[in-house]
Every structure is written in structure tokens, then in C-alpha cells.
Amino acid sequence: MNWRRVAPYSGIAFVVFFLASVVVSTAPANTASDHAWRAAYATHAKQAGHLATGVLLVLAALSLMAFLTHIWTRVTDARDSHPVSPLPVVAAGVAAASIAVGGMLMAAPSGSALIYSQPIPGADILRLGNDVGFAMVGVAGMLAVALSIACLSVQARAAGIFGVRLTRFSLAVAVVLLASVAFVPILALLVWLVTVTVSVHRAAHAPSTVTSTTASGPPAPARA
């Protein structure tokens, strides 16, 4: 398997895994009764759904880190001997860890019940696990993603991989993600991943520029 061909699609994999994690299970509102919270985890089917949410978020986290690392690698290749800060990759690792931990916190009660036959904890513990899990995904994870995207877009612009419009769009997405505690801004990340994947794919398959024998230097790199 050629990793350089597969890696660009890890961004699409994040979109699929993340959306699936939202669909397979739903926790009650914090204002719901204790009975509603216990009922949401009462059956094996519902427990399996919550466990699947956690596993899917772990897969989404790994996909996101793979995609951001791939873009950074393209930047380092384009910059050749020029030093490139690894901050976007470090931030991507923090984001992936936060999202994965958040998913496991959401899934832990169901996982312990299904795998180890442990009793489902009380409603207060269920609320706390879900709230802390979402905070890890929507706050810690998305703040780290915002930092990674902001730094990466500037580096990609300097390397000629991102054009002006894509750079501005990326910076705007990074700002929007700062409000991800409201959940809806996370959708901006999904749009960004699809957009960058398409742009990188087009740039990789663009016809090579043919230069004449009198050209003074190599053609400029394709801009997404």
C-alpha cells in the first residue's frame, strides 16, 4: 500500500468516523431525569451504541492526526532544506489524544457493563462522564486542532501548497473552532477537511508544467 496515496483520504475518514459517532448513540440532556439517564444505558443495544461512539471517536482522532501530519510532511518536502516548525504536528497529537480520551470517557460505563458485566453507575456519574468526555472533544481537542490548522495553513502558504483563498479559509476555520464548546462550530472542521482533501488531490493530479529550454528555473509549485 502506498501511504502517500492513502494519507490524503484520512481527512475524509475523520468526517465519516466523527459523524458516525454522533449517529450511533445519543445521551439524554443534562436536565433529563435520573430515570431517563439510567434508561439510556439500560439495554445491551444502547450500551453497544455508546461503546461504538467511543471507538469511532478514537478512530476519528487517529485519522485526524494522520491527515494533519500528512499535510505537514508535504510542507517539509516542499521547503526542502528550510527548517519547518513541528508545532502543527504536536498540536495534532494533543488534539487526537483529547478526542480519543473524550470518546473513552463517554464509552466507559457501557464498555464496563458489556465486557466486564459491571453495573451501570448512577445518573450523576453518567452525566459527569458524558460532560467531561464532550469537554475533551469539543474544548481541549478542538482548541488544539485550531492551533494546528492555523500554523499549518501559514506554513503551507509559504511552501506554495495552499493558495491565498485556502489559507484565508483555513485561518477562518481555526477561529471558528474556538467556539466549539457549542458543538455546531465543529462542522467547520468537517468542511475544512473535505475542502483540503479535494484541493490536495487536484494539486497532486494536475498536469506538470512544461518549461522551455530557455526557462531560468523550475516551475512554481501547484497551489491548492
Side-chain angles (χ1 to χ4, degrees), residues 121-203:
D124 289 342
I125 299 299
L126 294 175
R127 288 190 185 94
L128 178 63
N130 191 71
D131 287 348
V132 175
F134 176 76
M136 291 297 296
V137 175
V139 180
M142 291 303 117
L143 290 178
V145 171
L147 176 61
S148 181
I149 291 176
C151 296
L152 194 58
S153 61
V154 173
Q155 292 178 343
R157 172 59 182 160
I161 296 173
F162 282 11
V164 175
R165 287 183 298 178
L166 185 55
T167 301
R168 291 174 178 173
F169 174 63
S170 300
L171 292 174
V173 167
V175 173
V176 170
L177 289 176
L178 299 179
S180 290
V181 67
F183 182 77
V184 174
I186 297 178
L187 297 177
L189 173 61
L190 309 186
V191 175
W192 182 82
L193 288 167
V194 173
T195 301
V196 174
T197 298
V198 172
S199 299
V200 169
H201 177 78
R202 287 178 176 175

Side-chain angles (χ1 to χ4, degrees), residues 33-108:
S33 66
D34 290 354
H35 174 74
W37 272 91
R38 289 193 296 268
Y41 291 80
T43 66
H44 288 327
K46 292 179 179 179
Q47 292 165 7
H50 294 300
L51 179 59
T53 288
V55 173
L56 287 166
L57 282 174
V58 172
L59 294 174
L62 294 173
S63 299
L64 179 63
M65 184 172 62
F67 182 77
L68 294 173
T69 301
H70 170 70
I71 299 299
W72 184 80
T73 301
R74 288 176 59 93
V75 170
T76 58
D77 290 345
R79 296 289 288 174
D80 196 16
S81 59
H82 294 81
V84 179
S85 171
L87 180 58
V89 176
V90 174
V94 173
S98 299
I99 294 171
V101 169
M104 288 296 94
L105 286 171
M106 295 178 190

